[in-house]
Amino acid sequence: LIAAASPYLPLVDDLDRRDRIAGRARATIEQGLDTQPPEVARRFLIRTWHQVLLQTGHQHGLDSPPWQACTAAIDGLLWSFQPKTDAEERKRLAQRVPVILKVLKAGMERVGLPAAEQESFLDECFRLQTQALRPAPAAAAAEAPATGHIAAPGLRLPAGEPVGGEVRAGDLVLA
């Protein structure tokens, strides 16, 4: 009986591995959703990033650097939308965003998200990140139209230095 079952053990192991990956991907997404992210991030996590996690888990494993980068990108993305109250937090945001965007862009491309949807999502993220830099993000969110345009003129650090620079993700450039 054991000899007859042994050819099936790799299939059972593979099924078990798939179940572990699916469970961890689901738990990771749910953990991000527990933070009550903006709707655009919520939809992205459920529809797109879940698929990225599944593919990454299957290709590289749950303890791999690519898996860790994908889960860190969720935390970083959600953190980037939270209000930044001092110059040090703003500086950290400027440093972390390019890394986060690189991982997000690679994941979106890997699961075949159309370029227009990628651009729309990244534009909305930039709008939310810009709001996080403003002194009163809740008031800014209520007043700002969701146009997807990059509009942060006059955005300044407490020291009076304008926030500026370029963030690149593939062919996309945020200035």
Side-chain angles (χ1 to χ4, degrees):
L1 184 62
I2 293 174
S6 64
Y8 295 96
L9 289 179
L11 295 174
V12 171
D13 287 343
D14 187 51
L15 184 59
D16 183 52
R17 181 177 176 269
R18 288 176 183 274
D19 286 346
R20 279 194 317 271
I21 292 167
R24 180 84 73 83
R26 186 174 42 258
T28 301
I29 296 299
E30 287 173 0
Q31 184 178 3
L33 296 176
D34 285 346
T35 67
Q36 302 298 312
E39 182 61 23
V40 67
R42 184 183 164 291
R43 282 191 317 267
F44 175 77
L45 291 175
I46 292 169
R47 295 179 185 166
T48 303
W49 210 248
H50 183 254
Q51 294 301 316
V52 170
L53 289 176
L54 290 174
Q55 282 188 12
T56 302
H58 290 299
Q59 291 175 350
H60 303 284
L62 296 174
D63 296 321
S64 68
W67 175 270
Q68 292 170 1
C70 287
T71 58
I74 294 171
D75 294 338
L77 178 67
L78 298 177
W79 170 81
S80 75
F81 300 148
Q82 296 170 358
K84 308 297 175 256
T85 57
D86 61 37
E88 192 59 37
E89 285 184 311
R90 291 180 180 115
K91 183 177 178 182
R92 272 192 23 231
L93 178 64
Q95 292 169 343
R96 288 183 68 186
V97 164
V99 175
I100 295 166
L101 288 177
K102 182 178 179 182
V103 174
L104 293 176
K105 180 76 172 151
M108 290 186 290
E109 288 177 358
R110 192 167 50 248
V111 297
L113 190 67
E117 289 181 43
Q118 291 181 36
E119 185 176 340
S120 175
F121 172 71
L122 293 173
D123 285 348
E124 189 63 17
C125 287
F126 187 74
R127 185 185 69 78
L128 291 167
Q129 291 158 348
T130 300
Q131 284 180 348
L133 293 171
R134 294 192 176 131
E143 297 171 13
T147 61
H149 295 291
I150 299 172
L155 184 61
R156 299 191 179 275
L157 294 172
E161 296 180 30
V163 174
E166 244 180 39
V167 178
R168 294 181 178 270
D171 294 336
L172 298 176
V173 178
L174 298 175

